[in-house]
Amino acid sequence: MANKQQAEAFVFMKEEALPLRYKPIAGEPVSARNRSKAVSGDSVEYEEGKDYIIDYDQGTIRRTEGSRIPDGTLHPLYGVSEFDHTKYPDFSNQIYTVYVDYATESETKGESLSARDIESSGWLKRLASKLAAGEEAVYVVYGDSISSGGEASEESLAYFGRFADTLSGIYPEARIRIVNKSIGGEDTSGGASRVNEDVVPLQPDLVSIGYGMNDQNKQPVGNTTSLEAFEQNLRYMIDSIRKAGDTDILLVTPCEPNPNWQYTSGKTSLYADVIRRLGEEFGIGVADAHAEWTAELAAGKTHESLLLNNINHPNDYGHWIYSKSFVSMLKG
């Protein structure tokens, strides 16, 4: 039975072929457009054979010469290393990004999550109990700009919105109320300083904590936050929430930033390792977006195809990668 890969993102450079994440099935419908949702007021639908070509045997896609799809080599930051984004009026990949739907025989999303998966995982005991009873559950999203929804075209397509929608599909009688307390540009020192005011009083059923991107930023000397301070700040947040009650806590690892950005330290994986280790120590679930992200890069996805701001904010497909890590965690 064919599966559907939806809104996989690409930024094309001239007529260079890029690998599709999964092998496509010839003869099945394909849609390529400039917006992740097929129904959009300003959506442009591209035509196979005219604007792009898919090699179904090789599993690749490329733009054609003269295509209506913008050429990524015309981006002002194309080929620029150690760039300072503040010196460019427009550094986004928005106009260059194409979203493609296609059929594949591969297992694509792993979204066949069930109530049994959630209960067996043991990560969401309080949340699962409320949802199973058909009650309202409060989900606090805590973190930096990625957790605030950075670059997702709408809240339902940000990773936390996708995760909440998945849960709502499993527990249709319940209601999940999302309270987003994330702040763009914040690192763990900021999160630790306000957790007792912004999170604890809400008595949430679930809190996801997503930091690391700003902590890893390269500075003239060291990083914005040392690994030791990063761990200490996360410990403080976890302890503060736990002392206040039996709230379920999930930790979220960060994606990889554009390696050509001047603030990329190259040490994001070390910050992700700290998060994984704390998850094991505290018995807390870890949505390992970093592992899912690096798997996408290893499969041939480019940084430009995953980062809408071309720096450190996922596009809609990138937010799907984040949400996939929640499903993988709960399925074990």
Side-chain angles (χ1 to χ4, degrees), residues 201-215:
L202 298 173
Q203 299 182 313
D205 300 295
L206 169 65
V207 177
S208 63
I209 302 174
Y211 286 98
M213 182 58 74
N214 298 318
D215 297 271

Side-chain angles (χ1 to χ4, degrees), residues 111 157-163 166 287 289 317-328:
E111 286 185 342
L157 296 178
Y159 78 79
F160 53 85
R162 292 174 186 261
F163 179 50
T166 297
Y317 180 71
H319 274 279
W320 168 75
I321 296 170
Y322 266 74
S323 68
K324 183 181 178 184
S325 70
F326 282 72
V327 175
S328 298

Side-chain angles (χ1 to χ4, degrees), residues 114-151:
S114 68
R116 184 173 182 178
D117 291 327
I118 295 170
E119 291 159 10
S120 297
S121 74
W123 302 130
L124 301 176
K125 293 180 181 178
R126 173 167 166 168
L127 183 75
S129 176
K130 277 205 165 184
L131 296 179
E135 301 176 9
E136 180 183 79
V138 176
Y139 170 23
V140 171
V141 186
Y142 202 55
D144 54 31
S145 55
I146 297 173
S147 292
S148 72
E151 304 302 324

Side-chain angles (χ1 to χ4, degrees), residues 9-11 13 18 83 93 97 213 255-261 264 268 290 293-294 296-298 300-315 317-318:
F10 299 87
V11 171
M13 306 300 174
L18 293 175
F83 67 80
N93 285 322
T97 304
M213 182 58 74
C255 66
E256 283 287 336
N258 188 328
N260 289 320
W261 183 42
T264 300
T268 308
H290 186 268
W293 195 274
T294 54
E296 293 281 326
L297 293 172
K301 299 302 292 184
T302 65
H303 292 278
E304 293 85 0
S305 295
L306 300 177
L307 299 167
L308 198 69
N309 71 345
N310 205 33
I311 300 172
N312 56 6
H313 289 172
N315 56 29
Y317 180 71

